[in-house]
Amino acid sequence: MNGQQVLCSMLDVGKWPVFALLPPEELRLIRQACVFGSAANEAIYVTVNDEVFALGTNCSGCLGLGDLQSTIEPRGIDVLCGKKIVSLSYGTGPHVVIATADGEVFAWGHNGYSQLGNGTTNHGLTPALVSTNLLSKRVTEVACGSHHTIALTTDGEVFAWGYNNSGQVGSGSTANQPTPRRVSSCLQNKVVVNIACGQLCSMAVLDNGEIYGWGYNCNGQLGLGNNGNQQTPCRIAALQGVSIVQVACGYAHTLALTDEGLVYAWGANSYGQLGTGNKSNQALPTLINTDKERMVEVAACHTSHTSAARPRAGSTTDDVFACFATPAVTWHLLSVDGDDYLTVAQSLKKEFDSPEISDLKFLVDGKCIHVHKALLKIRCEHFRALLNETDEDAIEIHQFSYLVYRAFLEYLYTDTISLPPEDAIGLLDLATFYREMRLKRLCQETIKRGISEENAITLLSAAVKYEARDLEEFCFKFCVNHLTAVTQTQAFADMDHDLLKNFISKASRYGAFKN
């Protein structure tokens, strides 16, 4: 295996539940992956050998396997093997569309609105070439709305097809478009470099930094300052003088990245997805405060009301969707860069839990975690002491769960944690026990970011138990501010008697029960 292939097998898909049942040796071969579907339970992935596999519930035949059977065992999509996928997108039907390195477009799955571009409304059970008007073109990028599709060619042209109730195909009418049609009008002589689709709208970024939108606009997602739908592309005049390099769309909101690393957001905001600090929709682009950090990527997806922006030195936006979005779908095709140079940090991350050159394994809940003694000694006082006293090559752990202990060891290799807030509690307990102060702070931050009315009491109880004062105060204030909802949860009903007594007396001191 050459260096490139070894690196290619580094895509970390373990965070996505749909991959939980795959054996590690299979996971190691994955080079690209996409998780989609209304419950994040459908996935398509590509291996280092360019074989394409699918698994999951297979709604509308969206796995492309030729039938409607769901499968927890990965099955090969033969027609795509060896095709080299460069772009993949999916709709809510779901329908799936890909572009290959040769510039071909294949589509399959739900087709009730001709979103597969083949002129019919019959669902497609296997990937079929989208040929009308595209045979002489090379497509580099595809994007799907709920039931429409757009494609970008190497010439900077945009083609669109499928559902068009709000003008999202950009044809000047609201008739559905059964086959690919070039989006022209004011894009006629322009060069488009990036595309994205909201649920019912489409966006295009030009090589000169201008950005255009068309389709549904009732939430202001076109950024035009009004709420009227548009049947042909309209330039977002409010961004005059600002050069946009990338656009991303959520269900009904839009994010744009400038060449200076600034982020603008507009559209629906009832979940706070614009990051403006309130929940009011914005019909005009609003500059988002990113603490003077320069961003290099923006991300959003249709099924969860989550937005993300990545600074140059940040972790990937993919982690955000894996850990904090519900359902945990991927916002784009996850790919490993082909560059075969690894930084120290990447090299360590790659070796975590890999048996190849490991000299120590932990046995937790009957499962193995492979590690390296030298690294553990360097990274953790507890292990420095423990491993100097023993030369065992296997250590059993009974005090913590597999999930928590693996997350702790992975933190020693990567400096990051990726756990949902409820699981971060167990890690907080471990961090307290091993006196790992930075890890303790990271856990507290993760829990704060993931607090909700449903889990607030559970998180408060944990903060009290592990003496995380700052977190306890944060959870307590959240509970007081959402008192009615929190007191109706099951966790509140099951609350420990002493903690409840404490909570009520402290909350009344805060004046929480005054009418």
Side-chain angles (χ1 to χ4, degrees):
M1 252 186 151
N2 65 26
Q4 178 139 344
Q5 279 187 307
V6 174
L7 171 65
C8 287
S9 59
M10 268 189 59
L11 189 60
D12 182 7
V13 293
K15 300 181 182 104
W16 273 272
V18 69
F19 287 112
L21 294 173
L22 288 196
E25 56 275 16
E26 181 71 19
L27 289 176
R28 261 187 221 108
L29 296 175
I30 296 179
R31 190 172 61 83
Q32 293 173 303
C34 181
V35 178
F36 60 102
S38 56
N41 47 14
E42 280 148 336
I44 289 170
Y45 66 89
V46 184
T47 68
V48 290
N49 309 318
D50 277 319
E51 293 178 305
V52 184
F53 292 91
L55 71 158
T57 43
N58 206 11
C59 288
S60 311
C62 66
L63 295 184
L65 297 169
D67 56 44
L68 295 166
Q69 300 297 311
S70 62
T71 173
I72 52 172
E73 281 279 305
R75 290 169 54 195
I77 309 178
D78 297 338
V79 60
L80 297 182
C81 288
K83 285 278 182 208
K84 291 200 181 349
I85 298 173
V86 293
S87 177
L88 180 153
S89 190
Y90 55 86
T92 42
H95 73 292
V96 181
V97 182
I98 64 156
T100 70
D102 294 334
E104 293 180 324
V105 177
F106 289 83
W108 63 96
H110 195 286
N111 196 32
Y113 303 91
S114 300
Q115 60 263 51
L116 301 186
N118 59 12
T120 77
T121 51
N122 308 327
H123 295 338
L125 297 183
T126 51
L129 187 66
V130 183
S131 54
T132 307
N133 294 332
L134 292 182
L135 276 183
S136 60
K137 306 286 180 186
R138 285 179 69 108
V139 170
T140 55
E141 193 180 354
V142 289
C144 296
S146 62
H147 300 292
H148 79 287
T149 307
I150 65 176
L152 174 64
T153 71
T154 46
D155 304 329
E157 299 175 335
V158 177
F159 287 79
W161 60 93
Y163 195 34
N164 194 32
N165 67 332
S166 311
Q168 60 266 46
V169 166
S171 58
S173 79
T174 53
N176 291 348
Q177 176 61 39
T179 53
R181 175 191 177 280
R182 176 149 182 228
V183 181
S184 49
S185 62
C186 58
L187 291 184
Q188 183 65 46
N189 298 309
K190 308 275 201 307
V191 175
V192 175
V193 291
N194 178 229
I195 52 172
C197 288
Q199 196 73 347
L200 297 165
C201 70
S202 306
M203 288 279 160
V205 176
L206 270 49
D207 62 347
N208 65 3
E210 292 179 348
I211 179 168
Y212 285 74
W214 60 97
Y216 189 74
N217 193 31
C218 287
N219 308 96
Q221 54 264 63
L222 298 186
L224 303 172
N226 60 42
N227 294 101
N229 294 352
Q230 298 292 336
Q231 296 173 11
T232 54
C234 278
R235 184 168 72 85
I236 302 181
L239 290 172
Q240 174 76 36
V242 174
S243 182
I244 301 299
V245 291
Q246 190 220 334
V247 63
C249 295
Y251 183 89
H253 76 287
T254 309
L255 305 173
L257 179 70
T258 76
D259 60 349
E260 295 178 319
L262 300 173
V263 176
Y264 285 85
W266 59 93
N269 197 26
S270 48
Y271 295 86
Q273 60 265 49
L274 297 186
T276 51
N278 60 41
K279 293 191 175 176
S280 315
N281 290 1
Q282 298 288 339
L284 282 170
T286 305
L287 182 62
I288 303 308
N289 176 8
T290 52
D291 280 343
K292 300 193 172 57
E293 276 231 63
R294 188 187 180 113
M295 298 295 153
V296 295
E297 182 178 63
V298 286
C301 71
H302 296 188
T303 40
S304 71
H305 303 282
T306 304
S307 301
R310 174 168 68 91
R312 181 163 276 125
S315 64
T316 71
T317 46
D318 305 319
D319 294 351
V320 174
F321 293 92
C323 305
F324 299 109
T326 311
V329 295
T330 54
W331 72 277
H332 64 166
L333 179 67
L334 303 184
S335 294
V336 176
D337 294 333
D339 181 6
D340 56 2
Y341 171 76
L342 293 186
T343 62
V344 174
Q346 287 168 329
S347 304
L348 296 182
K349 182 178 181 178
K350 175 172 170 275
E351 288 305 327
F352 171 65
D353 203 11
S354 159
E356 209 172 328
I357 54 169
S358 138
D359 56 0
L360 175 66
K361 60 184 178 197
F362 285 96
L363 303 165
V364 196
D365 299 343
K367 296 180 193 160
C368 266
I369 309 166
H370 298 274
V371 290
H372 308 77
K373 290 178 185 175
L375 184 129
L376 298 194
K377 286 184 193 175
I378 291 168
R379 293 280 290 155
C380 173
E381 285 298 324
H382 163 78
F383 287 129
R384 183 170 292 200
L386 175 77
L387 296 173
N388 279 340
E389 288 164 18
T390 174
D391 51 4
E392 298 284 319
D393 53 11
I395 299 175
E396 280 198 56
I397 299 290
H398 300 290
Q399 188 178 346
F400 301 103
S401 71
Y402 170 77
L403 186 77
V404 164
Y405 211 76
R406 189 178 192 280
F408 167 51
L409 293 170
E410 188 170 13
Y411 160 78
L412 295 178
Y413 279 71
T414 62
D415 262 335
T416 56
I417 60 171
S418 48
L419 283 175
E422 291 79 357
D423 295 323
I425 292 170
L427 193 54
L428 180 64
D429 175 26
L430 181 149
T432 312
F433 178 75
Y434 285 147
R435 296 196 184 85
E436 285 284 334
M437 288 308 144
R438 182 175 178 274
L439 179 58
K440 192 169 175 175
R441 280 200 307 277
L442 271 180
C443 292
Q444 293 186 51
E445 283 165 27
T446 299
I447 292 167
K448 284 181 183 177
R449 281 204 305 261
I451 195 167
S452 67
E453 289 163 353
E454 281 302 313
N455 67 16
I457 290 289
T458 312
L459 301 181
L460 174 67
S461 313
V464 172
K465 180 175 171 188
Y466 302 127
E467 297 177 351
R469 300 266 179 266
D470 169 45
L471 180 64
E472 180 185 340
E473 195 56 28
F474 177 87
C475 294
F476 172 75
K477 280 186 180 150
F478 183 92
C479 291
V480 170
N481 291 336
H482 300 259
L483 199 60
T484 312
V486 166
T487 51
Q488 288 167 356
T489 61
Q490 189 57 45
F492 186 82
D494 301 341
M495 203 170 173
D496 170 77
H497 179 72
D498 289 341
L499 189 59
L500 179 62
K501 215 163 66 178
N502 247 341
F503 177 76
I504 290 171
S505 83
K506 192 172 167 188
S508 57
R509 287 205 301 282
Y510 259 74
F513 301 112
K514 290 197 182 87
N515 286 334

